[in-house]
Amino acid sequence: MKKNRIAALAAAVAITAVSAAIPVNAEHDIVENKSYDSHDTLSCVGSVSKTFAAMAVMQLADKGKVDIDKPITEYLPDFTMADPRYKDITVRMLMNHTSGIMGTTEGDFMLFNDRDTAPHDTMLQELSTQRLKADPGDFGAYCNDGFELLELIVEQVSGQSFTDYIEENICKPLGMQQTGTAWNVFRTDEQVKTFWNGNVLLATDYCMYLGSGGVHSTASELCTFGSAFFTGDERMLSDKAKKEMSTTSVEDKYEDGFGLGWDRVDYADYSAAGVKVISKGGDTVNQHTGLVVAPDEKISVAVLSSGGSSMYNELMAMALMDIALSEKGINIQHNTPEMKQTVDTVPEKYLAYEDIYIAGDSIYTVEFPDRKYMEITNISSDKREKQQYMYTSDDDFVRMEGDISTGKAVQAKQQEVVTFKKRNGADYICGDNYYEIGRKNKLSMSSYVMQRAEANPVSDAVQSAWDARNGKKYYFCNGKYSNTCYTDYPCVKIKTLPEAKGYVSSCKMIDGNNLKAAIVMPGGRDLKDMTVRSENGYEILDVTNCAMEFISEDAIPELDSNITEVKLSTKKAKWFSIGAAENKTLILDIPDNAAVYVYDQYDRVTYSSYMTEYGNSVPLPANGKIVFIGEDGGIIKITQ
């Protein structure tokens, strides 16, 4: 049967350490041959949790308990921010990422083999000191904190914890027995194994922001969840609510066309075949998810993986979706883009766009050498990577591989086309990228890529203060011992550039100790304001809207050979440079509620006490660092 053919394909995918399930039946009991006694592999679905949070809110809206177009202060009266515009944020804006909130108040929101209520309990307090990056409703930019506020709204309105709410109102009605959060599926035997550098077994990473990333599920149960969005299936939501969730008001193709809880609700390739497809991706440190649903055709595809990325999972889910659709006689064409006709001369109008541009944490130069092509250089990187683009007859630029000046460049195999665009008086570079669906077809994705940097003239004293820090590193110091940031990005490096006066990375200098994120761009997510303060004669870099602090490298002492123990203090990491101890081996006695991480000279992790099969014998790399973290009263004993 056709259905069995699809199931066989899903099973083959599962062999490659990716779980996939595709219920295609139109009936409510769409997952055939499922046994709840089998206990399928469980994964954190990351940001696919946002769709659970959005469903919960829309359930309350269906019951008349929430009006999604009312300000969130109607439901969270204690919510305030250090920006009066917060009063204009509506519940809908949280669900479609248009609130203007900076992004993610990280703190201790991702933990190894641990759980903690603090991130949830302190969210309103953390937001109370933050500004907005844009007017509420102006544009969409992915925002985790918005879904944490939705989590709080669900709790406030329902009178239940978020975990209990989704258990009673989503999981039980759908028969999902292996879906929950860290508060009811913690450290289960079915939890997927995760690895560091491909082969080092690592403890599970748990997300404490439940509404934005903390739901756990299996591939088959996530498919069941996706089936609740099928047209005509009103077990969870009215068709009206589902239609509202799968609609976007965005007309600019380069802006993220978020639905309510969904990343994308409109794909041109599927629409051309008369098929509505909605999708959501999710990532934690090592667990990744893609969920793709065709509501009218009643197909739900979920791909979960240990390692990889949600983008790959979504692309795989779409390839499987195409097979499922073909079984229904619907063939989707993801056409490979045609080669562009290039032109040897760049029109003079583009010379006015030569300038400094910013994106993420990087600074770029845009130039047009001899008007023959465009060259974009990441001047923030030590290698100053360059990308070259030829002007085309379509009045845009296509990325080339090779050096154009030698005459040997060819159009990139994975086509990337960029163009310049104005929005609200600012200049941006926008791009179209094409990703493979299956072996031949490609899916296009468009976005804002970078923003022209405004001039930011500062005094010589301010510029000199930051120039004096150029190249200086600051190390994460206020996270809990289980915080995954000690593995992901343990340090921040200050970098100033002579070409970009008044800037540190993509932040504007405000004064000698304060930086303000400068990006105001659709798609500009997780922006960071920073302050440097002095403490005990050393500098602390405070990422003010992320609840994260970093201590300056010159405050870190050398690990003396006479040190036999390190006394611990809660959320006060104790860093040491390895120095004279290089190439030695330590024997560590690490108590509960404590951790140790070791880094090489490039700040890459070489050891973590969350590498579960590593043991307590730890070699020290030359010119590296080691950090000890734990709770008040704890002691880590060292034998050198």
Side-chain angles (χ1 to χ4, degrees), residues 262-453:
W262 295 101
D263 286 343
R264 287 189 68 172
V265 297
D266 183 30
Y267 287 88
D269 292 351
Y270 290 100
S271 296
V275 178
K276 174 81 169 180
V277 166
I278 54 181
S279 67
K280 184 74 189 82
D283 300 275
T284 66
V285 178
N286 295 299
Q287 301 170 76
H288 311 279
T289 304
L291 174 64
V292 179
V293 177
D296 297 332
E297 282 67 32
K298 297 179 171 53
I299 303 171
S300 176
V301 185
V303 176
L304 279 59
S305 66
S306 173
S309 77
S310 63
M311 184 185 75
Y312 297 144
N313 290 12
E314 286 186 79
L315 292 175
M316 180 180 290
M318 287 179 184
L320 294 171
M321 172 65 76
D322 290 355
I323 294 171
L325 287 169
S326 70
E327 301 289 359
K328 290 175 170 284
I330 304 171
N331 294 312
I332 306 299
Q333 295 297 319
H334 305 288
N335 295 322
T336 299
E338 295 181 0
M339 293 279 286
K340 289 277 190 175
Q341 181 179 345
T342 58
V343 181
D344 291 336
T345 303
V346 176
E348 186 174 355
K349 66 179 181 178
Y350 285 106
L351 302 185
Y353 289 101
E354 284 195 332
D355 209 341
I356 300 295
Y357 288 74
I358 53 178
D361 292 326
S362 298
I363 301 179
Y364 301 83
T365 57
V366 173
E367 299 171 298
F368 301 93
D370 299 324
R371 284 185 58 188
K372 293 181 178 180
Y373 57 93
M374 178 171 68
E375 187 168 79
I376 299 179
T377 305
N378 183 347
I379 60 175
S380 296
S381 71
D382 293 336
K383 294 183 179 179
R384 296 208 162 200
E385 296 101 337
K386 299 177 184 290
Q387 289 196 342
Q388 296 180 338
Y389 300 78
M390 289 287 291
Y391 180 66
T392 82
S393 58
D394 294 323
D395 194 29
D396 51 27
F397 294 83
V398 64
R399 184 169 66 88
M400 308 294 288
E401 292 177 344
D403 189 345
I404 295 174
S405 64
T406 66
K408 297 180 179 179
V410 297
Q411 291 186 37
K413 183 177 180 181
Q414 182 170 306
Q415 191 179 89
E416 176 188 339
V417 178
V418 300
T419 188
F420 290 86
K421 184 177 179 65
K422 271 195 184 296
R423 189 184 191 281
N424 293 343
D427 292 328
Y428 299 92
I429 294 177
C430 297
D432 293 285
N433 287 274
Y434 296 85
Y435 299 95
E436 289 189 0
I437 296 286
R439 299 178 64 182
K440 296 182 179 180
N441 299 327
K442 293 181 182 289
L443 179 76
S444 66
M445 294 188 182
S446 306
S447 64
Y448 279 72
V449 177
M450 58 184 69
Q451 172 184 326
R452 191 174 193 163

Side-chain angles (χ1 to χ4, degrees), residues 427-626:
D427 292 328
Y428 299 92
I429 294 177
C430 297
D432 293 285
N433 287 274
Y434 296 85
Y435 299 95
E436 289 189 0
I437 296 286
R439 299 178 64 182
K440 296 182 179 180
N441 299 327
K442 293 181 182 289
L443 179 76
S444 66
M445 294 188 182
S446 306
S447 64
Y448 279 72
V449 177
M450 58 184 69
Q451 172 184 326
R452 191 174 193 163
E454 295 180 341
N456 184 41
V458 296
S459 68
D460 290 343
V462 169
Q463 184 69 49
S464 295
W466 287 105
D467 285 342
R469 300 182 181 110
N470 183 38
K472 189 174 182 179
K473 293 181 178 180
Y474 297 76
Y475 288 80
F476 184 48
C477 64
N478 73 324
K480 192 176 183 182
Y481 56 86
S482 52
N483 193 312
T484 64
C485 290
Y486 290 108
T487 297
D488 296 340
Y489 44 94
C491 73
V492 172
K493 184 178 180 180
I494 298 295
K495 192 159 191 176
T496 61
L497 297 161
E499 301 98 323
K501 296 290 187 181
Y503 279 83
V504 174
S505 297
S506 58
C507 291
K508 288 182 178 180
M509 299 175 190
I510 304 303
D511 56 36
N513 292 315
N514 289 280
L515 301 173
K516 180 180 179 180
I519 294 174
V520 182
M521 179 176 73
R525 59 174 292 180
D526 291 342
L527 305 187
K528 298 175 175 64
D529 293 340
M530 303 183 192
T531 293
V532 173
R533 70 174 190 272
S534 184
E535 189 174 291
N536 299 322
Y538 296 102
E539 287 187 338
I540 300 290
L541 179 66
D542 184 355
V543 185
T544 55
N545 62 299
C546 290
M548 299 177 70
E549 295 181 353
F550 298 76
I551 189 169
S552 61
E553 186 172 19
D554 53 14
I556 296 175
E558 186 175 303
L559 183 66
D560 189 279
S561 59
N562 296 320
I563 294 176
T564 58
E565 64 180 31
V566 177
K567 295 181 179 179
L568 306 172
S569 301
T570 300
K571 297 185 72 170
K572 292 184 178 179
K574 296 195 173 180
W575 284 88
F576 294 88
S577 61
I578 290 171
E582 64 185 42
N583 300 319
K584 289 186 178 180
T585 297
L586 301 184
I587 306 298
L588 301 175
D589 183 3
I590 305 172
D592 293 338
N593 303 333
V596 177
Y597 302 82
V598 178
Y599 310 84
D600 65 16
Q601 61 181 321
Y602 304 107
D603 300 307
R604 299 176 301 198
V605 174
T606 61
Y607 167 84
S608 164
S609 45
Y610 289 105
M611 295 175 177
T612 59
E613 296 178 347
Y614 204 105
N616 64 347
S617 178
V618 184
L620 301 181
N623 304 313
K625 288 184 173 59
I626 185 169

Side-chain angles (χ1 to χ4, degrees), residues 58 62 68 92 228-234 237-249 258-260 262 265 276 278 295-296:
M58 295 304 285
D62 270 345
I68 66 172
R92 182 189 298 273
F229 294 93
F230 290 173
T231 303
D233 182 340
E234 297 198 350
L237 293 170
S238 67
D239 275 343
K240 178 183 176 182
K242 288 180 290 184
K243 183 177 181 180
E244 195 154 19
M245 290 180 69
S246 62
T247 302
T248 181
S249 59
F258 296 113
L260 305 184
W262 295 101
V265 297
K276 174 81 169 180
I278 54 181
D296 297 332

